[in-house]
Amino acid sequence: MSSSTPPRTANFRVLTHPNGTATLVDPENGQSMRSRIGPVAEADLVYSGPARIEDRLNGDGSEHVLYDVGMGTAANALRTLERIRKKPEALGRLEIDSFETKPEGLATAIGNPSEFPWLRDGSLEGILKNLLDRSEVRF
């Protein structure tokens, strides 16, 4: 970001669905980041489940890149990492690239851990906070 570019100040709003799951709402366009089923269920059904990265990491030389349209609440990336952790034979290298343009959403989610419990994993806290300072999000 150049010194002439003003810093982004988007204040994402937390929206709690009737089923108790939460998502973020973009203040610029009013769009919810996730459907009413919630970020974790949506990540499992649409992203990490179908990608089956844990099955594709089948050796030390195995390398895969997974693209994430926007980091949002990090549910997609974290559910993928959780699936890999549960499968010890998943070996290799995984790169997750996100095209996030509004990291303020992730900052809002990190600041509301009771609504976004998957962000409470202490081993991920440093990674997620580092993402907020970068224009490119890469694990």
Side-chain angles (χ1 to χ4, degrees), residues 12 18 21 37 42-43 49 51 61-62 81 87 103 106 120 122 126 133 135:
F12 281 76
T21 63
I37 65 171
E42 187 175 317
S62 178
L81 295 175
K87 190 167 185 179
L106 181 56
R120 291 188 211 159
D133 296 329
S135 60

Side-chain angles (χ1 to χ4, degrees), residues 46-113:
V46 178
Y47 188 82
S48 63
R52 296 184 2 258
I53 293 297
E54 69 278 8
D55 294 333
R56 299 173 193 277
L57 292 173
N58 53 16
D60 289 330
S62 178
E63 293 187 20
H64 293 278
V65 178
L66 193 58
Y67 295 105
D68 192 2
V69 173
M71 187 58 61
T73 62
N76 289 340
L78 297 181
R79 291 301 285 176
T80 299
L81 295 175
E82 185 175 319
R83 291 173 69 98
I84 292 168
R85 285 181 183 171
K86 290 180 178 178
K87 190 167 185 179
E89 63 272 19
L91 300 172
R93 182 178 179 276
L94 172 65
E95 179 178 306
I96 301 175
D97 290 336
S98 177
F99 303 101
E100 181 62 70
T101 60
K102 298 179 181 179
E104 301 84 7
L106 181 56
T108 300
I110 290 171
N112 290 278

Side-chain angles (χ1 to χ4, degrees), residues 107-124:
T108 300
I110 290 171
N112 290 278
S114 61
E115 285 87 356
F116 306 102
W118 57 93
L119 296 173
R120 291 188 211 159
D121 184 338
S123 67
L124 299 169

